[in-house]
Amino acid sequence: MASEEAKDYVLPPEVLEETVRASEELWKPVKKVKFRIYKYNPKKDYAPHWEEHELEVSKGMTVLDALLTIKGEMDPTLGVRYSCRMGLCGSCAMMINGKQMLACQTRVLEAAGDGDVVELRPLDNFPVERDLAADFTHFFEKHKSVKPWIIRSDEVELNNPTGPYKQTVDEYARYYQFTDCIKCGACLSACPTAATDYEYLGPQALAQAYRYMVDTRDDGLDVRIAVVDTEHGCWRCHFAASCSDVCPRGVDPAQGIQLLKRLIIKRKFGYKPHKPAEALPAKVKAESKSGG
Amino acid sequence: MEAESGYREYYARNMRGISGWFKVRAYTIERWLYAAHRITGILIVLFILAHFYSTGWHPGLWWDALLGVVVTFHVANGIRLILAELGLAIGKPLLIKKPSQRPVSIEGVQRYLVVFALVLFIVLAAIWAYYALVVQSMMG
């Protein structure tokens, strides 16, 4: 019986053959691509220089795959930061042919297009750590400065919760999009304001500020307005929208910043987006427990 | 030695500087409009400063037409920016995203706003140029 059931799950031979063929096709070398890589160690080098490596690439090869091959076989001194290899950690953002992208999510052939050169640089407007790795210290400080956590005035409930805070799906939808941020730094790097203003909070921090300001569980609207409604805050954004264009997670920080501006203007007229949500009463919790 | 450390700091900071305002290749049309808005804004400021210095300076009728192009672009795109920055026409945050979701603030209703701004610019610039080159020359 068990073997009969198992048989049902075996792929028909023609499908299996097609799958194997497609997989082989994906990893078969297609053409030679020249990688132009930025090399610079600020602690040692006087100025950056470029190094070129040629590699046979296949359809499925990502830029990160290529970099690791180059690091393993051609240039062991190459500095590159990566971690998850699947677009979740945001470590490998870099300039690929002049645009901010995740190396792990960009296929080499896609980046090269009709040409056969891929130029790799560290993220613009970020200090260089070494070669392709950028220094994110300032970026994370900006993120921290907008207080990206739930701020409440009811300390007792916060420290000894009696239940989850009440939130409807519509209220959740107001900020869900912005929670997908992986802090890869692509948005700040693409921002033309950040090119001349080092202190500018940047799309990432401002979108996160908005995310917490419209979260119904939060009560820190005025605390955050004091941070973002400043000289280097949201009013330096002029909607070039490149942050949203390059975001690998579809967070759309440009939209967040414009909504943040609207929220601040409304706040000047005394509007508050919500009352801080209350914890669900014990009765509801008991009912939902018995119901489910 | 000082020059060396300055040189090193320049590369280590990796800031694009003013060239970053005009790095439009590979980005969407909004970035082009941003760069053009910057240029026209700077030109208008320079014109006003020159105008304050000498109101009588007038190189020719084409000058009026050129000024019209600069001013009308800044006005038309400015209207688009005011609307977008007030949170209009940039869509709502999404609850459900497609696998490779393109931003709603760029490719949603805002694109119509871009078209509207460009059409408004062309119409205003044409009216201004007609007035500057045809009507003014007829009036002498």
Side-chain angles (χ1 to χ4, degrees):
Chain A
M1 187 66 190
S3 63
E4 268 175 29
E5 263 180 16
K7 256 183 200 169
D8 294 342
Y9 292 100
V10 173
L11 286 171
E14 63 273 13
V15 176
L16 194 66
E17 215 171 81
E18 175 60 27
T19 312
V20 171
R21 200 193 57 74
S23 169
E24 278 173 354
E25 182 80 6
L26 202 61
W27 299 107
K28 199 171 66 186
V30 179
K31 69 172 176 180
K32 272 197 171 176
V33 170
K34 196 187 278 176
F35 288 85
R36 221 171 152 249
I37 301 174
Y38 182 96
K39 293 276 287 179
Y40 182 49
N41 183 352
K43 291 189 187 95
K44 280 187 189 168
D45 301 339
Y46 189 64
H49 66 279
W50 295 87
E51 269 181 24
E52 288 185 358
H53 301 283
E54 241 183 11
L55 207 64
E56 287 264 9
V57 299
S58 58
K59 268 188 192 171
M61 191 183 229
T62 64
V63 173
L64 185 63
D65 290 335
L67 279 172
L68 293 179
T69 310
I70 290 169
K71 191 174 168 66
E73 297 172 9
M74 300 167 192
D75 179 12
T77 65
L78 176 66
V80 54
R81 190 198 290 123
Y82 71 98
S83 182
C84 74
R85 307 184 193 206
M86 53 192 213
L88 287 176
C89 73
S91 304
C92 63
M94 59 182 72
M95 306 290 294
I96 301 175
N97 278 352
K99 193 171 182 182
Q100 291 78 2
M101 296 182 192
L102 293 183
C104 65
Q105 277 196 322
T106 311
R107 291 188 182 182
V108 178
L109 291 181
E110 204 181 309
D114 297 330
D116 53 2
V117 180
V118 173
E119 194 186 276
L120 302 172
R121 279 192 293 125
L123 285 177
D124 279 345
N125 310 323
F126 276 82
V128 183
E129 185 78 50
R130 218 188 81 190
D131 301 347
L132 300 175
D135 180 1
F136 273 55
T137 315
H138 204 54
F139 177 76
F140 290 139
E141 275 170 11
K142 286 171 185 175
H143 176 61
K144 206 175 158 189
S145 74
V146 300
K147 305 184 198 305
W149 52 79
I150 298 284
I151 298 173
R152 297 282 300 193
S153 47
D154 50 353
E155 284 284 320
V156 181
E157 173 65 30
L158 195 65
N159 294 328
N160 299 297
T162 55
Y165 290 121
K166 202 160 64 176
Q167 190 163 67
T168 64
V169 175
D170 285 344
E171 289 166 346
Y172 175 63
R174 284 187 213 161
Y175 70 85
Y176 161 70
Q177 176 183 282
F178 308 107
T179 62
D180 269 351
C181 175
I182 53 172
K183 296 161 204 73
C184 63
C187 53
L188 184 70
S189 173
C191 177
T193 302
T196 44
D197 184 3
Y198 191 62
E199 298 301 321
Y200 174 51
L201 280 175
Q204 190 274 338
L206 291 170
Q208 290 312 302
Y210 179 74
R211 174 249 175 277
Y212 282 95
M213 282 153 97
V214 293
D215 190 329
T216 49
R217 297 167 297 176
D218 186 83
D219 192 19
L221 182 71
D222 294 331
V223 181
R224 288 197 194 86
I225 283 183
V227 180
V228 297
D229 185 14
T230 54
E231 191 190 345
H232 299 290
C234 64
W235 305 105
R236 295 300 298 268
C237 165
H238 304 298
F239 197 59
S242 301
C243 50
S244 296
D245 182 26
V246 299
C247 180
R249 302 281 295 169
V251 170
D252 205 348
Q255 185 189 51
I257 302 173
Q258 312 323 311
L259 293 174
L260 175 64
K261 288 176 187 169
R262 180 162 74 176
L263 188 62
I264 293 174
I265 293 170
K266 279 181 167 181
R267 185 74 191 108
K268 305 261 182 210
F269 291 99
Y271 167 85
K272 260 195 155 185
H274 58 258
K275 277 185 191 161
E278 293 161 17
L280 281 171
K283 196 185 161 203
V284 177
K285 271 191 291 174
E287 271 174 12
S288 66
K289 233 178 215 177
S290 63
Chain B
M1 192 64 201
E2 212 170 83
E4 188 184 320
S5 67
Y7 202 48
R8 194 166 279 176
E9 198 191 321
Y10 169 76
Y11 284 114
R13 277 170 67 90
N14 197 23
M15 295 280 283
R16 276 200 84 94
I18 288 172
S19 72
W21 296 350
F22 307 112
K23 185 187 177 296
V24 291
R25 197 178 64 88
Y27 296 119
T28 55
I29 189 171
E30 287 76 12
R31 183 68 174 249
W32 287 85
L33 294 177
Y34 168 89
H37 201 76
R38 279 263 136 145
I39 294 169
T40 51
I42 292 166
L43 287 177
I44 289 169
V45 170
L46 290 178
F47 166 76
I48 287 174
L49 289 177
H51 192 67
F52 283 155
Y53 181 70
S54 163
T55 49
W57 185 65
H58 194 267
L61 292 178
W62 60 269
W63 170 255
D64 283 346
L66 201 69
L67 186 68
V69 170
V70 170
V71 172
T72 52
F73 176 83
H74 205 78
V75 167
N77 193 47
I79 291 170
R80 177 185 75 93
L81 287 177
I82 290 169
L83 292 176
E85 294 195 19
L86 286 174
L88 302 169
I90 52 159
K92 271 181 168 181
L94 299 171
L95 184 57
I96 299 160
K97 293 182 195 177
K98 289 177 209 149
S100 53
Q101 178 70 49
R102 288 295 295 157
V104 179
S105 70
I106 299 181
E107 295 186 5
V109 185
Q110 198 270 141
R111 270 287 148 83
Y112 294 108
L113 214 54
V114 170
V115 175
F116 165 76
L118 291 177
V119 170
L120 184 66
F121 158 56
I122 290 166
V123 170
L124 289 179
I127 293 171
W128 190 311
Y130 177 75
Y131 180 79
L133 298 176
V134 181
V135 179
Q136 257 190 22
S137 67
M138 272 162 52
M139 286 162 69

